[in-house]
Amino acid sequence: GLVCVGALATAIGLPRQMVALISGYAFGTLFGLALALAAALAGCSLSVFAARNWLREPVLRRFPDAVARLARFAADDTFLKILVLRLQPLGTNLASNLAAGVIRLPLRPFLAASLIGYLPQTLVFVLIGSGVRVGSRTELVVAALLLGLSLALGWLVWRRHIRAGSTAATQA
């Protein structure tokens, strides 16, 4: 039940953090994490599927910049670039999902990167929901490590993206 409702909620743009919080509260840390991730990934899949099959024109009208940016950004190294986007705390999950559907990003790397990228933030909200005191020294260390990982991956992707752009410019 929770996975289905959570998937539908996130597919229409409600925050996946809310699903994680409820999952942690209702089912505890481990089972709650599994359910929250399943709901987030199912919602992501539903959004991508809808954009690919029925919503192309409305998405292009509503999110033209997001579609264009994602098409340029994720044209190569899809898994790594989507992983970096998903690890960032900012951004619109729904717009990314819809844009990925419209530009027909390869589904497996997109969903795999989304799942891994959703993990840290989902875990934090499941822990909060399950009553674990977040903000202790351990959680701060984990948050700092995840931030470092996110920044390092972002730097790697940026360098590869710039290098690919300069290579394309010299070949033209």
Side-chain angles (χ1 to χ4, degrees):
L2 178 80
V3 172
C4 292
V5 171
L8 291 173
T10 59
I12 63 168
L14 293 176
R16 54 191 167 78
Q17 296 86 344
M18 177 185 68
V19 175
L21 194 70
I22 294 167
S23 295
Y25 179 78
F27 299 103
T29 303
L30 291 179
F31 196 52
L33 178 63
L35 292 175
L37 285 172
L41 196 62
C44 174
S45 300
L46 287 170
S47 299
V48 170
F49 182 80
R52 281 187 177 190
N53 293 292
W54 306 302
L55 301 176
R56 180 177 175 70
E57 293 307 316
V59 169
L60 285 171
R61 276 194 308 274
R62 175 77 171 101
F63 303 109
D65 296 336
V67 171
R69 277 194 309 269
L70 190 62
R72 282 190 309 273
F73 182 67
D76 57 341
D77 292 327
T78 301
F79 176 84
L80 183 60
K81 289 179 177 178
I82 296 303
L83 177 61
V84 168
L85 289 176
R86 294 303 197 193
L87 287 171
Q88 305 305 314
L90 305 174
T92 305
N93 189 50
L94 179 61
S96 299
N97 295 343
L98 294 173
V102 167
I103 63 175
R104 304 186 82 69
L105 278 181
L107 201 53
R108 283 188 182 164
F110 180 78
L111 292 176
S114 294
L115 177 65
I116 295 167
Y118 287 163
L119 185 61
Q121 195 176 80
T122 302
L123 177 59
V124 168
F125 281 87
V126 166
L127 286 170
I128 293 169
S130 67
V132 172
R133 189 174 142 255
V134 175
S136 70
R137 181 182 169 120
T138 303
E139 284 83 16
L140 292 174
V141 169
V142 169
L145 289 173
L146 289 172
L147 176 61
L149 173 65
S150 178
L151 291 173
L153 284 172
W155 179 78
L156 174 68
V157 167
W158 176 78
R159 282 195 47 155
R160 290 175 90 172
H161 188 69
I162 295 300
R163 193 174 298 143
S166 64
T167 303
T170 58
Q171 291 176 352

